[in-house]
């Protein structure tokens, strides 16, 4: 009885963490230690065999490399605020190994995503009532309105779309509610003009039609045509999305809309910096940050205000793979890229899981997600779910239908 009670409490605490972490920076710091305590108190009932997979070993190799390199170079303690974020990635798969009801975790994760979307839309409408416009063409203002910054909110909505479709055959009584949730998430992506998120959905649709759907060629072509028609209509009807997809590269204000133009140019330049070691990267994250600031100061010469803004904000790489290449060398980049490719292979038989990983890679291509605690939580929760629950999901899925499996009856 005591074990059953502890397991129920553990599941509830993990569910709260998964659902509510976007709404509070303090809440995860309370719930995560509590989860660890509950885990240790009932560790004898944990199925550690779930962690005995090559892809899990690959994840811990990536993280182990960072900590060992930091210890050798002396930055582990001097930059503990950076390394402490990685602890979430280290412990989350282990914590998920104790889960017995993965369906519940998916439900509360989707509920948290939908809540994030709904609250963000409400805040946007309040802004519109006060100012008469939606500021989704300006990064700073939109990030102040949304619950999560736009790239994070966009990926979250992509994941919400995919999870909604994933749950339909498991919850057939709530089919249309889940379809509505998916539709809401897609609308939100277009509404906030999240370019990479929209591109991710289009690519996932294409992959489904080409490799997963068992249907006639004419049906595939009709779905592809309808999808492209809807996306084109959304782009041309949404002025903010159109402007963000088709920025005039001749404009002097280009980097007002695309700071990555300057940031990625600096990332390339830093590869030739004398302090950069191609194998192990820069000596520390602080050195890399200072090098970026120096590059911004020299790169932006036509606008003093813009240059001061870049220097004050101290932009990071805005690309997780660039960051690993610069901070940890090509050794770190190969480890991270190798893990993501292994994860894609690990979930290849499940379209929804494969799409989530692919969307996560696209997300990491435009955002340095390990730079923020929020990014580490998003990464660790989805990675843990994909790693630990994948084998069970493959056994449950039935993709024999000639129609998309997420519209089947359960």
């Amino acid at each position: 009885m005591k074990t059953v009670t502890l397991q129920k409490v553990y599941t509830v605490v993990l569910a709260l963490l998964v659902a509510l972490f976007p709404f509070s920076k303090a809440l995860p710091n309370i719930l995560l230690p509590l989860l660890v305590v509950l885990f240790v108190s009932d560790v004898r009932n944990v199925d550690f065999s779930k962690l005995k997979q090559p892809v899990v070993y690959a994840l811990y190799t990536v993280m182990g490399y960072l900590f060992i390199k930091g210890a050798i170079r002396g930055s582990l303690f001097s930059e503990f605020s950076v390394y402490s974020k990685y602890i979430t990635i280290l412990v989350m798969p282990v914590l998920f190994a104790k889960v017995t009801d993965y369906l519940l975790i998916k439900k509360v994760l989707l509920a948290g995503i939908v809540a994030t979307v709904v609250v963000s839309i409400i805040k946007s409408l309040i802004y519109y009532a006060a100012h008469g416009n939606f500021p989704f063409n300006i990064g700073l203002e939109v990030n102040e309105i949304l619950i999560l910054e736009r790239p994070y909110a966009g990926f979250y909505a992509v994941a919400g779309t995919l999870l909604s479709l994933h749950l339909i055959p498991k919850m057939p009584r709530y089919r249309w509610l889940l379809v509505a949730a998916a539709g809401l998430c897609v609308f939100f992506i277009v509404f906030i003009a999240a370019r990479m998120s929209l591109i991710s959905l289009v690519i996932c649709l294409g992959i489904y039609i080409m490799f997963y759907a068992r249907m006639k060629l004419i049906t595939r072509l009709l779905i592809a045509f309808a999808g492209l028609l809807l996306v084109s209509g959304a782009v041309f009807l949404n002025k903010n999305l159109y402007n963000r997809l088709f920025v005039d590269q001749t404009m002097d204000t280009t980097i007002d809309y695309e700071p990555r133009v300057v940031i990625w140019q600096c990332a390339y330049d830093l590869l030739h910096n004398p302090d950069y070691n191609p194998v192990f990267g820069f000596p520390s994250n602080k050195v890399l940050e200072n090098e970026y600031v120096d590059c911004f100061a020299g790169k932006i010469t036509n606008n003093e205000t813009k240059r001061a803004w870049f220097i004050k904000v101290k932009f990071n790489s805005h690309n997780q793979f660039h960051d690993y290449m610069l901070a940890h060398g090509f050794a770190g980049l190969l480890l991270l890229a190798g893990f993501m490719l292994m994860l894609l292979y690990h979930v290849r038989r499940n379209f929804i899981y494969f799409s989530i990983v692919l969307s996560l890679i696209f997300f990491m291509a435009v955002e340095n997600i390990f730079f923020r605690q929020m990014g580490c939580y998003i990464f660790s929760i989805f990675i843990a779910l994909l790693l630990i629950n994948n084998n069970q999901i493959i056994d449950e899925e039935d993709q024999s239908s000639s129609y998309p499996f997420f519209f089947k009856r359960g």
Side-chain angles (χ1 to χ4, degrees), residues 21 27 48 51 105 107 143 159 173 176 193 202 209 240 251 275 293 302 319 364 370 375 409:
F21 76 90
L27 187 63
F48 286 102
L51 299 170
I105 299 301
K107 290 177 183 177
N143 289 336
R173 292 179 58 186
W176 294 112
V202 171
I209 294 172
N240 288 323
M251 295 191 308
D275 291 332
V293 170
N302 62 336
N319 181 306
M364 294 167 69
F370 295 167
R409 293 192 178 276

Side-chain angles (χ1 to χ4, degrees), residues 34-339:
L34 178 58
L35 274 174
V36 173
V37 171
L38 292 171
F39 181 93
V40 173
S41 64
D42 194 32
V43 71
R44 289 178 297 179
N45 294 295
V46 178
D47 182 7
F48 286 102
S49 65
K50 297 175 183 178
L51 299 170
K52 296 178 181 179
Q53 307 177 67
V55 68
V56 177
Y57 302 150
L59 173 63
Y60 285 111
T61 300
V62 175
M63 294 294 107
Y65 168 78
L66 301 188
F67 282 92
I68 292 172
K69 174 177 169 287
I72 293 174
R73 292 200 167 184
S75 60
L76 182 59
F77 295 103
S78 61
E79 297 182 340
F80 185 74
S81 61
V82 175
Y83 289 93
S84 63
K85 298 184 181 74
Y86 301 149
I87 295 175
T88 306
I89 301 174
L90 287 170
V91 303
M92 199 64 73
V94 179
L95 296 176
F96 265 70
K98 186 172 171 52
V99 175
T100 57
D101 189 352
Y102 290 101
L103 182 59
L104 174 63
I105 299 301
K106 293 172 190 174
K107 290 177 183 177
V108 297
L109 178 57
L110 177 59
I113 293 172
V114 171
T116 302
V117 168
V118 170
V119 173
S120 295
I121 291 175
I122 291 173
K123 291 184 65 178
S124 300
L125 293 175
I126 293 173
Y127 182 95
Y128 182 84
H131 299 87
N133 69 298
F134 295 113
F136 296 134
N137 209 27
I138 305 172
L140 288 178
E141 289 190 27
V142 68
N143 289 336
E144 292 177 0
I145 294 173
L146 303 177
I147 296 297
L148 299 173
E149 292 189 8
R150 176 157 44 195
Y152 295 83
F155 169 75
Y156 220 41
V158 171
T161 304
L162 295 169
L163 275 176
S164 297
L165 301 177
H166 173 69
L167 290 175
I168 288 175
K170 305 177 187 307
M171 303 169 60
R173 292 179 58 186
Y174 301 97
R175 175 181 285 105
W176 294 112
L177 183 62
L178 290 166
V179 170
L184 178 65
C185 289
V186 174
F187 166 78
F188 181 68
I189 290 169
V190 175
F191 179 62
I192 65 173
R195 295 167 299 182
M196 183 53 73
S197 301
L198 183 61
I199 292 170
S200 297
L201 284 181
V202 171
I203 292 175
C204 289
L205 175 63
I207 289 174
Y208 178 78
I209 294 172
M210 291 176 61
F211 301 109
Y212 288 89
R214 296 185 178 182
M215 56 183 69
K216 295 179 180 179
L217 177 61
I218 186 63
T219 307
R220 295 171 188 254
L221 293 176
L222 286 174
I223 292 177
F225 178 75
L228 290 175
L229 194 64
L230 287 173
V231 170
S232 300
V235 169
F236 285 99
L237 292 175
N238 187 319
K239 183 178 179 181
N240 288 323
L241 182 59
Y242 180 87
N243 290 337
R244 281 174 52 77
L245 283 170
F246 303 103
V247 176
D248 184 355
Q249 298 298 327
T250 64
M251 295 191 308
D252 293 334
T253 57
T254 294
I255 59 176
D256 287 334
Y257 296 93
E258 280 298 342
R260 292 175 182 84
V261 171
V262 173
I263 295 168
W264 290 349
Q265 287 177 357
C266 283
Y268 176 78
D269 292 346
L270 291 180
L271 291 174
H272 305 92
N273 189 292
D275 291 332
Y276 178 70
N277 183 312
V279 178
F280 300 112
F282 279 98
S284 67
N285 290 282
K286 187 64 179 178
V287 171
L288 175 58
E289 179 184 277
N290 292 335
E291 293 294 344
Y292 262 121
V293 170
D294 291 342
C295 183
F296 296 153
K299 188 75 66 175
I300 305 172
T301 58
N302 62 336
N303 190 319
E304 184 62 35
T305 302
K306 194 178 302 177
R307 180 170 59 178
W309 176 48
F310 270 68
I311 293 174
K312 178 182 178 180
V313 174
K314 295 182 179 180
F315 280 116
N316 60 56
S317 62
H318 278 62
N319 181 306
Q320 191 60 64
F321 302 104
H322 285 176
D323 179 74
Y324 260 58
M325 182 171 59
L326 292 171
H328 308 296
F330 282 90
L333 174 62
L334 289 175
L335 287 173
L336 178 62
F339 165 70

